[in-house]
């Protein structure tokens, strides 16, 4: 038996490359519109609050993951992805009519539909790529997706903002619509054979509940999802201290952009390493390592030194994607294909929605206490999350190692 020392395994098969290409292209358009829509709303209304609500409108549908994920299990995933991409490309030009405060409701409506379609796309894509590349390659593909997405986020929002400043909102809309057309074409080229899904006949809500029951009925998946949601909650709380941290460094608020860029570079690195790390550590240990690294980095933000702040940003970028890649890879590997859309969307709701809660609560806490106090507390809570997940992993390993006679004594 030989062990490869390769740190990163790029996708060599056609379907993996096409899938990743579709994700990156459509994601570039989404990230461009994400920032430009807020600027557009600000220009139309002059309101900071209404501009911030654009982001909420795009991400709010994630809370409805279980029923939206059911849609991904009711249809063949490849045609569904093609239809969703083309549908969004046709929907976006409606925004050409938004040129006054009276039309802001239309912008919000389109963003809500956009967000809901994105939840279904993620669920269907997760199920389709599992069939396309096989369970053994999922870590590499998910890691590379993270690396490409994080790298794209470093340039796409600036592209959208620059295009908006030069040509206005309709130009950003055209860019985003074009990316969806390209993504639809890439999805159409996938060579994946799919059987027509067989419905259980129990109705929409009962089918949605089946995905929830599967996810919560698997102790390993349940532990990872709970740890992932807790991690996202605590890191969101920590992120609200960023400008206070910058202020303690004696830097201008724009210095936060430098820290975000360093964190993004760390996330790109984490994505490139994820496949190998998952093979060597397994999903739970990989998640534990990522949460622990994030914990120390968050606590280190209490130290008012540039080198420490930069190192902490890089470490958060390295650590945070680990629990996300580990959790969603585990869901893909341990969920039957007919349930995968619902299970993936449910996991997305439980892992990602706590971020909104953390941002809201953290914004209030940072007004009451210094990051000198808050950052170590958040770090300690993250370390406790890692310890709990590690303890559950050790307990599961001991249980698996017991013989049937030990587990069921006569």
């Amino acid at each position: 038996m030989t062990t490869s020392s390769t740190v990163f395994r790029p996708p060599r098969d056609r379907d993996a490359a096409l899938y990743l290409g579709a994700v990156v292209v459509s994601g570039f358009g989404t990230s461009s519109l994400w920032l430009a829509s807020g600027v557009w709303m600000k220009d139309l209304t002059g309101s900071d609050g209404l501009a911030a609500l654009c982001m909420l409108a795009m991400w709010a549908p994630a809370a409805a993951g279980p029923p939206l994920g059911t849609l991904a299990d009711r249809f063949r995933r490849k045609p569904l992805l093609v239809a969703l991409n083309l549908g969004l490309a046709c929907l976006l030009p409606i925004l050409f009519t938004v040129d006054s405060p009276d039309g802001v409701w239309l912008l919000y409506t389109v963003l809500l539909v956009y967000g809901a379609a994105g939840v279904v796309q993620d669920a269907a894509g997760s199920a389709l790529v599992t069939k396309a590349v096989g369970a053994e390659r999922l870590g590499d593909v998910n890691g590379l997706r993270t690396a490409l997405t994080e790298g794209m986020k470093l340039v796409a929002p600036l592209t959208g903002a620059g295009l908006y400043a030069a040509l206005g909102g309709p130009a950003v809309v055209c860019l985003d619509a074009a990316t969806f057309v390209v993504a639809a074409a890439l999805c159409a080229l996938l060579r994946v054979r799919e059987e027509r899904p067989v419905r259980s006949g129990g109705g929409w809500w009962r089918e949605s509940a089946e995905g929830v029951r599967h996810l919560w009925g698997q102790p390993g998946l349940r532990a990872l999802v709970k740890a992932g949601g807790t991690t996202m909650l605590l890191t969101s709380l920590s992120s609200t201290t960023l400008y206070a941290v910058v202020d303690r460094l004696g830097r201008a608020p724009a210095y936060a952009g430098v820290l975000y860029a360093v964190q993004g570079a760390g996330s790109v690195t984490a994505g490139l390493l994820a496949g190998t790390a998952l093979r060597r550590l397994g999903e739970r240990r990989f998640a534990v390592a990522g949460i622990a690294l994030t914990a120390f980095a968050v606590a280190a933000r209490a130290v008012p030194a540039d080198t420490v702040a930069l190192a902490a940003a890089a470490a958060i970028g390295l650590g945070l994607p680990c629990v996300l890649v580990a959790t969603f890879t585990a869901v893909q590997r341990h969920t039957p294909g007919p349930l995968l859309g619902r299970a993936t969307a449910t996991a997305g709701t439980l892992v990602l929605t706590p971020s909104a809660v953390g941002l809201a609560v953290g914004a209030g806490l940072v007004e009451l206490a210094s990051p000198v106090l808050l950052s170590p507390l958040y770090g300690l809570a993250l370390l406790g999350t890692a310890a709990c997940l590690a303890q559950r992993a050790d307990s599961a390993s001991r249980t698996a190692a017991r013989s049937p006679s030990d587990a069921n004594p006569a």
Side-chain angles (χ1 to χ4, degrees):
M1 178 178 178
T2 60
T3 302
S4 172
S5 60
T6 303
V7 173
F8 166 63
R9 295 181 181 178
R12 295 184 178 88
D13 58 88
R14 177 180 178 276
D15 284 335
L18 287 170
Y19 166 76
L20 290 170
V23 168
V24 172
V25 169
S26 63
F28 185 90
T30 298
S31 293
S32 298
L33 184 65
W34 164 71
L35 182 59
S37 64
V39 179
W40 196 351
M41 183 65 71
K42 172 70 174 177
D43 283 347
L44 288 172
T45 66
S47 170
D48 293 328
L50 292 177
L53 284 177
C54 288
M55 182 188 300
L56 177 61
M58 290 184 73
W59 295 112
L68 288 174
T70 301
L71 187 63
D73 289 335
R74 283 193 163 200
F75 300 93
R76 288 182 295 165
R77 280 73 180 248
K78 175 183 166 179
L80 179 61
L81 285 172
V82 173
L84 286 169
N85 280 297
L86 291 178
L88 287 171
C90 294
L91 174 71
L92 284 169
I94 294 175
L95 295 179
F96 291 167
T97 63
V98 179
D99 56 5
S100 70
D102 293 337
V104 298
W105 68 271
L106 187 58
L107 178 56
Y108 285 133
T109 301
V110 170
L111 292 177
L112 278 169
V113 175
Y114 192 115
V119 174
V120 181
Q121 282 179 313
D122 286 344
S126 176
L128 189 64
V129 75
T130 302
K131 188 175 183 64
V133 305
E136 70 282 355
R137 296 291 310 282
L138 284 173
D140 293 291
V141 172
N142 289 339
L144 184 54
R145 174 178 176 169
T146 298
L148 292 171
T149 301
E150 292 301 322
M152 177 257 313
K153 286 179 181 178
L154 298 177
V155 295
L158 295 177
T159 301
L163 191 59
Y164 177 86
L167 300 173
V172 183
V173 170
C174 287
L175 170 66
D176 198 11
T179 63
F180 281 121
V181 172
V182 174
L186 292 173
C187 289
L189 293 173
L190 289 167
R191 295 173 180 169
V192 181
R193 296 180 62 86
E194 297 182 274
E195 301 294 332
R196 184 179 296 276
V198 178
R199 299 182 185 179
S200 63
W204 191 284
W205 292 106
R206 183 171 294 180
E207 288 184 16
S208 300
E210 289 175 0
V212 177
R213 281 196 298 269
H214 167 78
L215 190 67
W216 217 244
Q218 301 288 323
L221 295 182
R222 183 172 67 242
L224 278 168
V225 168
K226 290 170 67 175
T230 303
T231 300
M232 295 303 293
L233 172 67
L234 292 168
T235 52
S236 295
L237 286 167
S238 173
S239 70
T240 61
T241 68
L242 181 62
Y243 288 101
V245 168
V246 170
D247 187 55
R248 293 185 71 239
L249 293 173
R251 297 281 189 168
Y255 189 69
V258 175
L259 297 180
Y260 273 126
V262 172
Q263 182 173 327
S267 295
V268 171
T269 304
L272 296 176
L273 298 173
T276 297
L278 278 170
R279 282 189 292 274
R280 294 181 178 179
L281 299 177
E283 289 122 356
R284 285 206 192 186
R285 290 180 181 175
F286 182 48
V288 168
I291 298 171
L293 178 59
T294 304
F296 288 115
V298 165
R301 280 182 161 173
V303 180
D306 281 333
T307 53
V308 175
L310 291 168
I316 291 171
L318 278 168
L320 187 56
C322 297
V323 65
L324 299 178
V325 173
T327 299
F328 289 105
T329 301
V331 171
Q332 288 172 304
R333 285 176 172 169
H334 304 295
T335 301
L339 288 174
L340 194 46
R342 285 163 280 180
T344 299
T346 300
T349 297
L350 295 175
V351 171
L352 301 178
T353 302
S355 296
V357 178
L359 290 172
V361 174
L365 291 177
V366 76
E367 295 292 336
L368 302 175
S370 164
V372 175
L373 173 64
L374 294 175
S375 294
L377 288 177
Y378 297 150
L380 187 62
L382 281 165
L383 200 59
T385 302
C388 288
L389 183 59
Q391 185 177 25
R392 289 183 182 131
D394 290 341
S395 176
S397 297
R398 288 195 297 270
T399 300
R402 293 168 62 188
S403 67
S405 59
D406 290 334
N408 300 285

